[in-house]
């Protein structure tokens, strides 16, 4: 996909400002674990309202194994390689949580995607790695993937390196070979010479479903880790205060490549922290609470209080808004982060969740207003807002409703039975106000071979959660 200005011939865009001017998305690539017993899939879906195939699957790869749990994806090359005209954004890297496989999908022709290579679990296990999660392309031509466990599933935070041409494992990233206790997501900001990683928990316990007792037993994390990018060395661990800091999952630096601010969404703590240089000692990073979402007092649920459960965050390409998905409460929150040190809630919409009017769960808080169940094109939306992807111009937010099959079965069994959905939220370019688009629905329960649990979404030309500028 061509860049509109300052084009060096490499993938992506020269800057976030150029990305904002990029062409409107017409298709998305979507990972989709099978909801029952069948192979997972990666789909190309048509999101062009002028197309005859609008809201339909137009290409797919059914992976050759059962039970992989395709989850997040990354690119072989992105805007970090924009100055390299020989590089091309051509392959999706698809780590699998449950099987420790990594699939490489050729997407050069978005209407005829195909499986090009499979990295078998034994290659990760030979490096004492398992449970691969986040994948980012690097400017040096390599691909880096966070891993959450050792080969036997023991919690261990490490980073796998793949060759960006052959897709063969090359080793691990940390220069000193040191690992952190837990791992999950990571984001690097080369001009700040920093990388931040986050924590989920013990892979063997994650796979069994969520048990709140495991948090106090130390089987889930509450820390973020700071690495020096150039030297590949661990510098610092920031322990986020409990209970707000429990399960810090997604991390996002602002897109402007010299910006010093990053945001972390804590799932169980239902809080947003800003990671930034300490005022007294700028060489050290600190974490400041930016926002927290109170739990709801409830009856008819497994616990007396229900957390919002922040499972994804996203920053608009212009660094104006932070989007937060609350998988249990069912709302997407949009914060104005024009001043990162003083973020403000600007807009909010509800998509499913556990506390709507048809959920059989009663909210006991006196200030609670009834939330109607959401129907789009006659389809009741099950699950809650999970993965987010925003158009480059910031006008369209895409949302899927599945988190992780084992956890879906625990919290939203009907979402598993009926299949997940993808929705679109329209965003006013002036005010930022969000409104659900009632004309957009992709029902993965009705896709041939399904039902499927649609999860992460990517644009062919780059997006708000994959591209990093150097």
């Amino acid at each position: 996909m061509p860049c509109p200005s300052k084009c060096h011939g490499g993938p992506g865009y020269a800057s976030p400002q150029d990305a904002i001017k990029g062409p409107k998305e017409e298709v998305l690539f979507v990972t989709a674990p099978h909801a029952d017993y069948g192979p997972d899939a990666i789909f190309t879906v048509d999101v062009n309202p002028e197309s005859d195939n609008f809201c339909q699957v137009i290409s797919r790869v059914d992976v050759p194994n059962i039970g992989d749990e395709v989850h997040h994806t990354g690119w072989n090359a992105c805007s970090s390689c924009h100055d390299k005209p020989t590089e091309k954004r051509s392959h999706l890297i698809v780590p699998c949580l449950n099987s420790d496989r990594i699939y490489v999908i050729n997407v050069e022709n978005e209407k005829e995607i195909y499986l090009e290579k499979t990295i078998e679990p034994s290659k990760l296990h030979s490096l004492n790695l398992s449970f691969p999660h986040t994948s980012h392309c690097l400017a040096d031509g390599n691909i880096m993937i966070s891993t959450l466990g050792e080969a036997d599933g023991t919690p261990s935070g490490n980073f796998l390196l793949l060759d960006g041409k052959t897709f063969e494992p090359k080793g691990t990233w940390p220069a000193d070979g040191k690992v952190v206790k837990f791992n999950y997501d990571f984001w690097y900001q080369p001009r700040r010479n920093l990388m931040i990683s986050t924590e989920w928990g013990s892979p063997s316990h994650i796979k069994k479903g969520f048990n709140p007792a495991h948090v106090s037993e130390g089987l889930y994390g509450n820390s973020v880790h700071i690495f020096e990018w150039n030297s590949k060395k661990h510098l610092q661990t920031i322990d986020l205060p409990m209970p707000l800091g429990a399960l810090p999952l997604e991390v996002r630096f602002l897109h402007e490549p010299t910006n010093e601010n990053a945001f972390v969404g804590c799932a169980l703590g239902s809080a947003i922290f800003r990671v930034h240089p300490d005022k007294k000692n700028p060489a050290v990073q600190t974490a400041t609470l930016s926002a927290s979402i109170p739990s709801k007092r409830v009856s008819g649920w497994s616990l007396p209080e229900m957390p919002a459960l922040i499972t994804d965050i996203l920053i608009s390409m212009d660094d104006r808004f932070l989007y937060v998905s609350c998988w249990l409460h069912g709302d997407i929150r949009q914060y104005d982060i024009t001043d990162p040190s003083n973020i403000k809630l600007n807009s909010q919409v509800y998509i499913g969740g556990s506390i709507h009017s048809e959920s059989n769960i009663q909210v006991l808080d006196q200030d609670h207003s009834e939330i109607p169940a959401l129907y789009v094109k006659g389809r009741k939306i099950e699950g809650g807002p999970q993965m987010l992807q925003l158009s480059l111009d910031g006008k369209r937010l895409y949302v899927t409703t599945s988190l992780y099959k084992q956890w879906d079965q625990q919290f939203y069994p009907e979402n598993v039975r009926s299949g997940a959905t993808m929705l679109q939220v329209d965003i006013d370019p002036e005010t930022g106000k969000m409104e659900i688009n009632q004309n957009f629905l992709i029902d993965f329960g009705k896709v041939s071979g399904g039902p499927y649990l649609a999860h992460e979404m990517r644009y062919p030309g780059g997006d708000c959660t994959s591209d990093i500028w150097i």
Side-chain angles (χ1 to χ4, degrees), residues 349-466:
V349 293
Y350 280 86
I351 292 177
S354 296
I355 54 173
H356 59 71
S357 57
E358 299 180 18
S359 69
N360 297 319
I361 294 172
Q362 182 181 2
V363 179
L364 305 178
D365 299 320
Q366 292 184 353
D367 60 351
H368 177 73
S369 299
E370 185 174 81
I371 302 161
L374 178 63
Y375 289 80
V376 176
K377 302 181 78 169
R379 168 56 145 101
K380 182 182 177 182
I381 304 305
E382 304 288 353
Q386 215 290 296
M387 293 306 295
L388 307 173
Q389 192 54 263
L390 184 68
S391 61
L392 296 175
D393 62 8
K395 296 180 181 179
R396 295 164 301 281
L397 182 70
Y398 297 91
V399 186
T400 55
T401 57
S402 169
L403 171 60
Y404 175 64
K405 183 178 177 180
Q406 187 66 35
W407 291 32
D408 285 8
Q409 290 172 335
Q410 182 176 355
F411 293 103
Y412 292 116
E414 188 55 42
N415 195 44
V416 178
R417 286 190 288 269
S418 62
T421 52
M422 182 192 296
L423 306 172
Q424 185 186 92
V425 178
D426 295 329
I427 299 163
D428 186 291
E430 300 298 326
T431 67
K433 181 181 179 181
M434 297 188 291
E435 185 176 354
I436 295 167
N437 184 337
Q438 287 288 338
N439 295 314
F440 186 101
L441 174 71
I442 302 179
D443 186 345
F444 289 89
K446 294 183 177 179
V447 172
S448 175
Y452 293 98
L453 298 172
H455 190 67
E456 192 176 57
M457 301 157 282
R458 291 264 174 250
Y459 302 144
D463 51 58
C464 294
T465 58
S466 65

Side-chain angles (χ1 to χ4, degrees), residues 13-17 79 188-195 229-230 253 255-260 468-470:
Y13 301 90
S15 68
Q17 292 74 26
S79 291
Y188 62 95
Q189 193 84 315
R191 295 193 201 178
R192 305 295 306 178
N193 196 24
L194 290 176
M195 184 183 85
W229 183 244
N230 289 339
F253 266 106
H255 296 288
E256 202 288 311
T258 64
N259 198 288
E260 64 187 19
I468 294 173
W469 283 268
I470 62 170

Side-chain angles (χ1 to χ4, degrees), residues 240-241 244-246 262-266 271-275 287-291 313:
L240 301 178
L244 294 177
F263 288 97
V264 175
C266 296
I272 302 293
F273 285 86
R274 179 173 65 100
V275 180
T288 302
L289 179 66
S290 294
I313 65 172

Side-chain angles (χ1 to χ4, degrees), residues 165-336:
K165 299 295 184 184
T166 66
F167 307 113
E168 284 294 318
K170 297 177 65 174
T172 55
W173 179 78
D176 51 12
K178 293 182 179 179
V179 299
V180 292
K181 183 176 180 180
F182 295 115
N183 207 0
Y184 184 71
D185 194 23
F186 71 98
W187 196 281
Y188 62 95
Q189 193 84 315
R191 295 193 201 178
R192 305 295 306 178
N193 196 24
L194 290 176
M195 184 183 85
I196 300 175
S197 71
T198 59
E199 297 187 333
W200 190 3
S202 163
S204 60
H205 293 86
I206 291 169
K207 291 178 180 180
K208 296 175 183 177
F210 180 66
N211 182 344
H214 290 162
V215 178
S216 59
E217 292 171 8
L219 296 170
Y220 286 92
N222 68 298
S223 303
V224 295
H225 304 280
I226 312 299
F227 295 80
E228 187 174 56
W229 183 244
N230 289 339
S231 69
K232 307 180 182 179
K233 291 183 178 180
H234 179 264
L235 298 178
Q236 183 184 354
T237 292
I238 302 174
D239 297 324
L240 301 178
M242 292 290 281
L244 294 177
L247 279 69
L249 297 185
E250 307 294 342
V251 57
R252 306 280 185 256
F253 266 106
L254 271 68
H255 296 288
E256 202 288 311
T258 64
N259 198 288
E260 64 187 19
N261 294 287
F263 288 97
V264 175
C266 296
L268 189 61
S270 302
I272 302 293
F273 285 86
R274 179 173 65 100
V275 180
H276 58 94
D278 188 280
K279 286 185 177 180
K280 296 181 180 179
N281 183 4
V284 174
Q285 300 295 302
T286 190
T288 302
L289 179 66
S290 294
S292 62
I293 304 169
S295 296
K296 303 282 189 182
R297 293 190 306 113
V298 295
S299 64
W301 198 59
S302 57
L303 295 171
E305 291 193 353
M306 179 188 293
L309 207 76
I310 295 173
T311 50
D312 196 18
I313 65 172
L314 177 151
I315 294 176
S316 61
M317 194 62 76
D318 61 2
D319 290 336
R320 181 185 176 194
F321 292 123
L322 171 71
Y323 292 86
V324 176
S325 61
C326 302
W327 194 57
L328 290 181
H329 286 183
D331 55 327
I332 298 173
R333 295 179 171 227
Q334 179 202 70
Y335 291 91
D336 185 327

Side-chain angles (χ1 to χ4, degrees), residues 67-70 96-101 131-132 207 404-405:
D68 283 311
E69 191 84 24
V70 296
C96 301
L97 295 184
N98 288 353
S99 67
D100 304 336
R101 283 189 184 86
F131 215 76
K207 291 178 180 180
Y404 175 64
K405 183 178 177 180

